[in-house]
Amino acid sequence: MEHESVSHSVAERALARLPSGSEVSVTVHRYEGGAGPTAYLQAAQHGIELNGAAALRRLHDSLLEAELAGTVVAVPVVNSLAFDHDSYVTPQAVDAVNPNFNRVWPGDGDGTLQERAVASLWELIATADVVVDLHSGTADMLEHVRFQGGERDSRRLASVFGADYLMTDPGPERPLEEYTGTLRAAARLAGTTAIVPELSNSRQVDLEAARRGADGIRNVLGELGMLRAEPPDPPSQTVLYDDGGRVGADRSGLFEPAPGVAVGDRVAEGDELGTVYSPDTFERRQSVAATASGVIYSLTRESAVTAGEKLAGIAGLE
Ligand SMILES: [Zn+2]
């Protein structure tokens, strides 16, 4: 490893072409230092998740001042189509097969528009040693970093990122094939270490979330030896299993969480989480109870809900 001052370059990369002939492209930043590993960073697979891009801008400013060993490649907005439509998913008009950008990795150069876009990005990932895929959740989701189940390096990097919660895939007995389609799973199949920070607050730039994102990436680069500064000891962390503790609305109506129920709470199966009321007749349509024991990591706040919609996510504890 050799730490050297950073040489920065920017390039546009064509990902796919729209029916009109317009190109879908992304802006790729490269920060090159001395000899060392390559880290690939990206944000905004989902168009309403803004804090990853805000974090990468903060990281950009500090990398220009830093001495770096290796190369950082950063794509702040990978899914411009969803971003420009202020939409979580990609507009159906351009890809009706699978509107979720994060379900088509590693892509297909002869496939749908998104599969082609992802296949082009995958060429950047294929040359990387480590991948950081930045997301953000709803305002009522515990900030956490996901790591690849059973992968020690991924877990170590997720931990040094510095969030209070880590999350991983369900128990190792589940076959890997069930997880394919996300970048995290595709990277795991390819033997590439990846982590997925889920910062707070979709739909708005949260200055603290952006700062935590930039700090977290610097911690990861420090742990890899790419930056000189060693990361601080992570806080005491809770490890959660994403084991499908999904609480859904059986009936449509207005959902009100029970008083005092909040993300981060530990619950037992059957505990009361809230009520779905009928907005017109005022009747109680559903008493909503925890479907599993664990930690509430996401919770719909006071809102109109449609039957089948997710009201809360419960994760198991390690
Ligand atoms: Zn996302």
Side-chain angles (χ1 to χ4, degrees), residues 241-265:
Y241 277 113
D242 181 6
D243 46 11
R246 179 185 188 278
V247 181
D250 297 333
R251 311 285 298 275
S252 300
L254 288 182
F255 175 66
E256 295 183 17
V261 170
V263 293
D265 286 357

Side-chain angles (χ1 to χ4, degrees), residues 44-47 49 88 100 102 133-137 196 198 202:
Q45 288 207 62
H46 301 125
E49 301 179 6
Y88 178 82
N100 191 333
N102 199 24
D133 180 24
L134 293 156
H135 289 251
S136 56
V196 182
E198 287 274 1
S202 300

Side-chain angles (χ1 to χ4, degrees), residues 31 33 37 69 83 112 120 146 148 152 158 182 188 197 225 253 273 275 297:
Y31 308 85
F83 193 92
T112 65
S120 176
R146 296 189 72 121
Q148 296 156 303
R152 221 177 308 151
T182 64
R188 183 179 170 191
L273 298 182
T275 306
Y297 73 91

Side-chain angles (χ1 to χ4, degrees), residues 18 59 76 82 85 137 150 173 215 217 220 226 232 235 268 316:
L18 294 167
L59 181 78
H85 284 78
E173 67 278 4
D215 287 350
I217 296 169
V220 167
M226 296 175 70

